Structure formats: C-alpha cells, structure tokens
Amino acid sequence: MNVKNVIPYASTMLLIVGMMTLLCGCWDNKDINHRALPIVMGIEKSEDDYQVYLLIPMKDQDKNSALVVSDKGTTINEVIDKMNKNLEMQIDLLHLKIIIFDRSIAEKGLNDSLSSFMRAGDVSPKTIVTITEHKLRPLFERMNAASLNNGISLYDYFEKNAGWSPHLAQTRIWHVFRSMQSETKDVPVPLISAGKATALESSGSAVLRKGIMVGKISSDETLMFNAFAGMGSQGKIEVMNQASVLIVSDTLSHSTSLVENTPVLNSKLTLKVTIIETKGSPTATLIQQELEELWTARYIRMFRKVQSNRADILGLGQLFRNKIPMDRLKYWRDDYYPRLKFNFRIHAIIQNEGLLKMKE
Amino acid sequence: MDKSMQVIVVYLLTHIGLIFFMYPTDIIECLETGHWSAILLGFAIHVALLAVYLKGLQFGAPNNVIDIYKRFGRWFAIVFLFPVALYFAVVIVITIRAYSEIVTLVFLDNTPLWAIMALLLAVSSLVAVYGVETIFRTGILVALLFSPALLLVFSLSFQNADWRYMLPLIDQRAASFSYVFREPFLLSFFAFTGGFLFLGFIPPRIPYKPRKVLLASAALLPMFMLSVYVPLLTFGQSAASLLQFPFITAVDTVNVSWLMFDRITLFFLLSLVGFVMIYISLVMWKTALMIRSVVTIMSPIVTILLLTASVFLACLYIPNWHAVERILWWNTLLRLYVMLVIPFVTLVLGFRLHRKGAAH
C-alpha cells in the first residue's frame, strides 16, 4: 500500500471507529440488574397526599422474592422520585402490569392520573386498571406472601391466555382514557381485594362514568357485560335450581331506531351453551327456557342499574352514531341514554348435553 | 435494463416513512368525521401532480429536471429551482429534528437529542455521498429487511378496532371540503410532497417506466387509510385528537400474548426510522445535485459534508417541538410552490423541448 492510499484508508477507519461510539445506542444505559421493575402499583389517598405502593420482584441468589415499597407525596411522580432516591436501583415503570386505585380516588376521578400516564409514556397504555375498596397495605402484603414466582403470577390473573375468567372485567389504561374522552362509551373496572387462599379476589366491577366511579356491578353482571362484548365464552351460568351451563359462544345482533327523539334498541343475544351440571331430571327445553327468562331479566336489571348511573358501559351510544347527529350525540349520556328503550331478548341454543343423555 | 423496481421501492418507502407520524395527527385534527374524504382528496391531488410531473419528464427526456430548466437559461433555472433547493434543505432539517424528537419521546428518553440527530445525519449523508445507485440499492435492502415487521404490525394493528367509529360516514364539513384551506389539511401535504420530486432527478442510466410508478402509487392509498383509521377506530375521534402521534399510541395498545416482545411499537418505529434515513439521504443527494449545478467546482463529497454540517447546526438551533411545528407551517408556502408549480412548469417546458426536438 503506498502512502497516497493510507490517508483515505486511515480516515475511513477513524470514521468507522467514531461511528461505533454513536451507533451502539447505549446512552446512560442502566443494566437490568440496576433496574427495579415493579409489576403492581397501588395508589391511595391519605389526607391530601398520595400514598403509592410498588410490588417489585427481586431475584436473590437462588430464591425468588418480592419487595413492597411505599412512600407518600403530593403527586405520583414525586413519590416515585422519592422511592428512586431511597432505593439502590432505578425504578422503571415500563413493565408495570397492574395499577390498583383506592376507591376514594376512583370516586373523585382517575382522569388526571391516567392522562399523565398516557402523556409521560413511562407506563404502558396496556397496564390493567383495578380498584379496591379495602386498605392497600394488607392487600400488598397478601400479594407479596401469596404470589408464587416473584409476583409474575399476579399478572396472569388478568391475562386472557392465562388465569382470566369472563367473570372479571379486563380494562386497560387506554380503555379508561378513551372512555374519559368518549361521549358514548364507559368502562367497568374490576374491583379486587386480598383473597383468602389466593392472592387476589374479585368482587365484581366498578362502573366508571367518564373516568369517575359511580356505581358497582356484581361478578355475574360482569359476565353479562363480557358476553355483550363477545368475550363471554367459558363463562358458567347457574340456571335456578336445576342446572348449570357453560357458554360456548355468544353472538349479538342489534337494530336501532329513533322514535320521536327517543332511542330504541332491539338486541338479540344468541348464546350457545352446553350443560355441565343438573339437579334432578329437568328436560333440555326446560333448561333452555329457564336460561332465557333468567338471563333476560338479569340483563334488564343490570341495564337499569347502569342506566340510572348514566354510565354507558355497554357502549350502546356507539350504535346510534349514524342515527343521532354528531353535535347532539355529545349529550348522549345525559339526554338520550336515560330515556333509551332497551328491548333485549336472549336466544339460547343448547349445543349439546354433555356425555350423558338427557330426556327430551 | 429496466430498473423500475428500484425506483418504485424507493418511492413507496420514502412515503411510508413520512406517513405514520404527523399525517394522522393533521387529518384527525382537521375533521370530526368522514376522514376518508380528506385522505382521498389529498391522495387524488398527489396522483394528479405525479402524473403531470412524470408526463413533463417524459417529454423532456433524457434530461433530468435541472437540465430541462437550464435549457431555458441559467437564471431561469436558478429562479425556479432555488425555492425547491430551499424547500429540500428545510425538509431535511425538519425531518431530522422531528424524527429524533419522536425517537426520544418513544424510546430513547435518556439519549441527548444531538446524538440521535448526529446518528441519523451521519448514516444518511454517508449513503448520499455514494450517489443515487447506492441509495436505491440500500432502499431495496431496507425494504426487504423491514417489510415483514411492518406487515406484522399492520395486520395486528386492527386488534382493538371498534368499527362503529367509522360512522357517520360523512358530515357537512367533510362533504363541503371546507377544511381544505385550513392549517391541518395544508400541513398534511408534508407526507405527499416530500418524496415524488426525486423522480425528476434520476439520471438516464437508471431507466424506469413512469406508468409503473403511477400504478405503484395506488399501493400508498391503503397506507394513508391505515395511518388515520387505526387510531380513529381504536380511540375514537375525540380521544385520538389528543394524541401527539396517534398511530404510534394505537399500536402501543396492541396486546399479543404469543409474541415474546411486549411492545411491537419498537419494530414499527425502527423500520420507519430506516425508511426515513433513505428519504433523508435521497433529499440530500437531490439538494447537493442542485447546489453543484450552480457552483460547479464543488465535489459531491464536499457539498454533502457542508450540507450535513449546516443542517446539523440548524437542527441544534431548534429549541422545542413547538418550533418544529412552526417551521413546518412556515414551510407550507414553499411546499405549495413545490407541489403545484414545479410539476406544471416541468410539463410546459418538457412539452416545448419535445416540440423543438421533433422540429429538428
């Protein structure tokens, strides 16, 4: 190589080496062992301050454990900063899976906290939102004690591909954020408490209206909500004293109309069920009739309840988007929804009767 | 050898790189419902201008657009093309600054802006130094590498869609096109005009069929639709209009349990940053070509290095996101000039050259 070629060659090499410092993309990088990755966050109001709890999984040399950290402050971010200062690791909320709000916060509204999560982007919008009616400290201690596999199992409680059941609402931050802005759609949020044998127990769902808790529905009513949203399969229903059935599939059809400015909704829910348990010897037709009557009545009762709260968790206003002009639809929750005539019908199909024959 | 394939791939991916960030924000802001009307209008204008421009180039062949203008006098070319060069320079500044801000907002929140800008600029100018063939070949490579990830993200992005948000299909504002001269709609042309002028700069040694490019532009329409309708159907107009980057946040809500990665947004963003690098290098190469046609003594490397240095300095002087948005808006005048005047003037000049050629 002659001298003439050396200079461009050397400068190219220098450039490549220089690039390596830039291109590696590691800037102020903190290794995984210097990060604390909480999976559950609890937020409670005590007097004027926020009390924040974090459940952080820890990996000691050979045993898995979890750590509960809590602190107080005027904003959630201030509390996290305080914890960061006291903890020997950097708290990284990106992998947070569950947020638990105290009921008193939920009744004042989750808007500010959830909007700031959406804005900062440090908490994933997919994080599951829950509300508890009890004190947070015993709940976190229970979760810490009962959770296997350093707390990851808590996450499975809400995951569709793991421990979720259709008796539980599945509501994420972005669902609540959407409903806060939406004119026609509200959300239920699961109510949880410390379980006796298990880490968590659910006692139904809180009804949120524009991000503010206004009421409660039971676990069975949550199943109805999920069936309405097309997520009811594998849900079990007790039919009076005669049988219990398992939902295999649910399909919903609607027709909407506006009669003299009163919205009318006719809905038909087709449930395909299988019989899993009988008491005595009822006929399949009897079970089918009982199921239809029972669930129709329960649905109407649940609907009346949320209607009186003026919270449209079933998203019925969505069905009127092309019937009511957009500028009127803004008043859906206060003007139209309380007057909505909801004609609901259930059509049950018993797909099979299990492995035992049943008399007609 | 027909190299239409390379031209088409670069045409498509430079546009895809631009569509998914600011474009949905503008379109969602400009209408309450019936967004398809704004998308279709913008797209129709794009295709019409593309057709006019390509026809003009075809008449003027084998000259590139600079030569066509130069045939009518040096000063004529300088007067007409100086705004174009200025537009390109501003576009490079905006794109670098905006995309580094996006990268900081979405995932590299610890990395200083200048490092990301330096990285984006370094890679783009390196590609630009090697000329248009390298840009095209890199384009093919980048497209091959990233399109599987993009297709995955596109097909998963409808996971949370509520199709009822599509309704009502049209309202008075959308039907009367009253949004056309409003700021958001004019800004949305950023995604349309950035790319297609490069077709006029391609040297005759890379032959391509204009008709094929025109046909390929149809592939962009689904992209425009997707970028606006995915966030709209996920969040609804009222919530989506609050988001800075609606498509990114909509992709953030996608929950895939079988994928081992928690956020598919990262794949999406990295692919698009790859596309944008190709776009920046293309614009840089065009600008350098224009500068060198006036200042003929400069070598390509020196021109591009000078351009890179001045762009980097300009980027450092932009203090915040608001300023980026302001510059984007000021640039609208140049953008309208580039997208409306240049194609038609090219057609006229090309036609006159063609007639002169035929007369000889």
Side-chain angles (χ1 to χ4, degrees):
Chain A
M1 196 188 284
N2 59 29
V3 185
K4 222 175 163 188
N5 287 340
V6 168
I7 294 168
Y9 182 78
S11 50
T12 317
M13 281 298 136
L14 267 178
L15 192 69
I16 290 172
V17 174
M19 288 281 218
M20 276 165 74
T21 56
L22 276 176
L23 285 171
C24 65
C26 306
W27 209 284
D28 293 341
N29 186 39
K30 290 207 166 88
D31 286 334
I32 191 90
N33 52 334
H34 298 135
R35 285 167 188 256
L37 304 165
I39 54 164
V40 187
M41 182 198 267
I43 303 169
E44 196 173 49
K45 200 103 182 201
S46 59
E47 286 134 41
D48 281 340
D49 287 349
Y50 284 110
Q51 177 91 30
V52 177
Y53 295 83
L54 291 179
L55 181 72
I56 307 171
M58 290 286 169
K59 184 130 181 105
D60 289 341
Q61 261 137 20
D62 44 20
K63 71 176 204 328
N64 292 329
S65 61
L67 178 72
V68 177
V69 199
S70 93
D71 216 320
K72 231 189 222 186
T74 46
T75 66
I76 298 170
N77 270 315
E78 190 201 317
V79 186
I80 303 285
D81 279 347
K82 261 192 203 168
M83 289 176 177
N84 247 337
K85 196 176 66 191
N86 298 335
L87 215 62
E88 64 275 27
M89 290 174 288
Q90 159 101 26
I91 295 176
D92 190 344
L93 293 177
L94 195 66
H95 291 271
L96 192 72
K97 298 299 180 196
I98 304 169
I99 294 187
I100 308 171
F101 285 100
D102 180 40
R103 183 176 173 155
S104 63
I105 296 183
E107 278 168 347
K108 286 204 188 73
L110 304 177
N111 297 15
D112 287 344
S113 354
L114 293 189
S115 295
S116 50
F117 287 144
M118 287 292 286
R119 180 185 297 278
D122 49 355
V123 175
S124 160
K126 290 187 287 187
T127 310
I128 283 168
V129 183
T130 62
I131 294 173
T132 184
E133 296 184 298
H134 304 278
K135 284 267 159 236
L136 278 172
R137 181 164 287 286
L139 177 62
F140 270 81
E141 273 160 11
R142 179 71 201 140
M143 283 195 286
N144 194 3
S147 61
L148 307 160
N149 201 3
N150 52 6
I152 306 292
S153 54
L154 287 171
Y155 177 47
D156 293 339
Y157 189 75
F158 290 98
E159 276 309 291
K160 248 187 187 156
N161 60 334
W164 179 77
S165 95
H167 285 273
L168 198 63
Q170 196 189 38
T171 307
R172 300 174 188 277
I173 287 185
W174 69 269
H175 285 123
V176 185
F177 176 75
R178 175 177 67 179
S179 88
M180 271 152 31
Q181 310 302 332
S182 167
E183 310 302 338
T184 50
K185 208 166 159 53
D186 287 306
V187 284
V189 168
L191 280 168
I192 56 164
S193 54
K196 286 178 192 74
T198 52
L200 293 177
E201 236 173 46
S202 169
S203 53
S205 304
V207 175
L208 256 58
R209 179 186 189 273
K210 284 212 150 211
I212 299 166
M213 178 171 168
V214 289
K216 249 162 79 164
I217 55 174
S218 69
S219 283
D220 283 342
E221 287 166 331
T222 310
L223 172 64
M224 291 179 211
F225 164 80
N226 279 328
F228 204 82
M231 302 196 299
S233 53
Q234 297 305 313
K236 293 189 182 72
I237 310 169
E238 299 281 329
V239 183
M240 302 304 274
N241 292 320
Q242 287 163 332
S244 33
V245 295
L246 180 77
I247 304 174
V248 184
S249 78
D250 43 15
T251 43
L252 195 62
S253 60
H254 305 286
S255 73
T256 55
S257 56
L258 208 58
V259 182
E260 286 166 0
N261 228 9
T262 302
V264 180
L265 173 65
N266 300 304
S267 297
K268 187 177 133 192
L269 179 66
T270 309
L271 285 179
K272 279 193 177 172
V273 296
T274 62
I275 296 172
I276 50 172
E277 192 188 346
T278 55
K279 289 180 193 118
S281 51
T283 62
T285 339
L286 189 66
I287 293 175
Q288 183 203 337
Q289 279 169 358
E290 286 278 343
L291 175 66
E292 284 176 359
E293 274 168 31
L294 181 79
W295 250 42
T296 309
R298 277 198 198 164
Y299 251 109
I300 295 294
R301 206 181 329 139
M302 191 256 288
F303 170 70
R304 294 262 176 275
K305 194 149 92 184
V306 291
Q307 194 184 28
S308 66
N309 289 329
R310 298 192 170 188
D312 190 1
I313 55 169
L314 297 174
L316 302 179
Q318 288 287 80
L319 303 167
F320 287 91
R321 281 183 76 90
N322 55 348
K323 293 272 160 50
I324 300 173
M326 287 303 271
D327 51 331
R328 295 294 307 154
L329 202 65
K330 291 192 172 70
Y331 308 103
W332 166 260
R333 280 191 186 100
D334 294 319
D335 192 4
Y336 293 92
Y337 183 58
R339 295 186 285 123
L340 172 70
K341 282 207 175 66
F342 185 39
N343 303 317
F344 188 73
R345 208 156 59 81
I346 284 190
H347 176 55
I349 299 172
I350 295 181
Q351 189 170 310
N352 60 51
E353 286 127 29
L355 293 173
L356 290 183
K357 281 187 187 167
M358 197 173 216
K359 59 176 194 258
E360 281 301 310
Chain B
M1 203 178 101
D2 181 25
K3 290 194 174 153
S4 302
M5 193 62 203
Q6 292 188 1
V7 176
I8 289 171
V9 166
V10 170
Y11 165 79
L12 289 181
L13 60 80
T14 48
H15 281 90
I16 292 173
L18 291 180
I19 292 172
F20 288 93
F21 297 98
M22 274 92 103
Y23 180 73
T25 322
D26 294 332
I27 295 291
I28 289 172
E29 198 180 317
C30 91
L31 282 170
E32 233 176 73
T33 179
H35 297 82
W36 54 270
S37 115
I39 303 172
L40 279 183
L41 180 68
F43 186 73
I45 294 175
H46 172 75
V47 173
L49 293 171
L50 184 67
V52 168
Y53 186 56
L54 281 172
K55 197 73 206 159
L57 289 172
Q58 222 173 350
F59 278 136
N63 301 310
N64 71 13
V65 73
I66 304 176
D67 294 332
I68 294 178
Y69 281 76
K70 268 187 162 175
R71 292 282 286 273
F72 294 84
R74 187 180 150 86
W75 282 104
F76 180 83
I78 289 178
V79 166
F80 268 92
L81 293 182
F82 176 72
V84 182
L86 190 65
Y87 173 72
F88 284 159
V90 178
V91 159
I92 303 173
V93 173
I94 294 174
T95 318
I96 295 275
R97 187 60 176 71
Y99 278 76
S100 48
E101 193 82 46
I102 290 164
V103 168
T104 327
L105 275 175
V106 181
F107 58 104
L108 291 181
D109 47 355
N110 282 334
T111 314
L113 262 182
W114 67 263
I116 302 171
M117 294 192 297
L119 171 62
L120 276 176
L121 259 175
V123 177
S124 314
S125 48
L126 185 72
V127 180
V129 164
Y130 285 105
V132 69
E133 279 106 333
T134 310
I135 297 177
F136 281 9
R137 276 197 298 270
T138 321
I140 297 267
L141 180 71
V142 167
L144 284 178
L145 281 176
F146 292 135
S147 17
L150 274 188
L151 285 179
L152 178 78
V153 171
F154 288 153
S155 47
L156 289 173
S157 62
F158 281 101
Q159 193 191 50
N160 295 314
D162 180 348
W163 294 93
R164 293 186 212 107
Y165 277 119
M166 195 96 94
L167 296 171
L169 279 177
I170 197 150
D171 68 350
Q172 191 161 10
R173 214 168 127 73
S176 63
F177 296 114
S178 60
Y179 54 84
V180 169
F181 293 108
R182 297 282 167 78
E183 183 171 335
F185 186 72
L186 293 176
L187 274 177
S188 77
F189 279 110
F190 181 74
F192 289 112
T193 46
F196 76 93
L197 280 193
F198 86 92
L199 295 167
F201 291 81
I202 301 170
R205 62 177 183 278
I206 305 177
Y208 67 96
K209 300 235 160 56
R211 211 168 53 89
K212 284 191 183 167
V213 178
L214 211 53
L215 281 178
S217 70
L220 282 181
L221 185 59
M223 299 292 157
F224 283 110
M225 287 286 181
L226 214 65
S227 73
V228 175
Y229 272 98
V230 165
L232 268 185
L233 298 181
T234 310
F235 292 107
Q237 200 270 340
S238 42
S241 63
L242 297 177
L243 302 170
Q244 188 72 261
F245 304 110
F247 192 84
I248 303 290
T249 315
V251 171
D252 251 344
T253 67
V254 173
N255 191 34
V256 198
S257 50
W258 47 263
L259 204 69
M260 60 177 171
F261 300 100
D262 205 29
R263 292 174 83 196
I264 56 169
T265 325
L266 283 186
F267 295 95
F268 179 71
L269 212 66
L270 288 179
S271 325
L272 290 196
V273 168
F275 289 4
V276 164
M277 279 180 180
I278 299 291
Y279 171 69
I280 296 169
S281 58
L282 194 66
V283 180
M284 243 179 203
W285 169 77
K286 285 189 280 190
T287 320
L289 211 60
M290 291 172 108
I291 296 174
R292 287 205 302 124
S293 72
V294 181
V295 194
T296 36
I297 45 162
M298 287 216 280
S299 75
I301 296 186
V302 173
T303 324
I304 285 181
L305 283 181
L306 279 178
L307 190 64
T308 309
S310 37
V311 165
F312 187 62
L313 282 179
C315 285
L316 288 180
Y317 269 101
I318 301 177
N320 53 24
W321 181 253
H322 188 68
V324 177
E325 284 178 332
R326 280 299 86 193
I327 298 174
L328 199 61
W329 174 235
W330 293 334
N331 205 19
T332 304
L333 205 65
L334 281 177
R335 189 178 311 126
L336 288 177
Y337 170 80
V338 167
M339 64 179 258
L340 293 175
V341 176
I342 292 297
F344 284 104
V345 173
T346 311
L347 181 69
V348 172
L349 299 184
F351 187 65
R352 286 180 61 181
L353 276 184
H354 184 68
R355 262 210 327 219
K356 239 198 277 178
H360 280 297

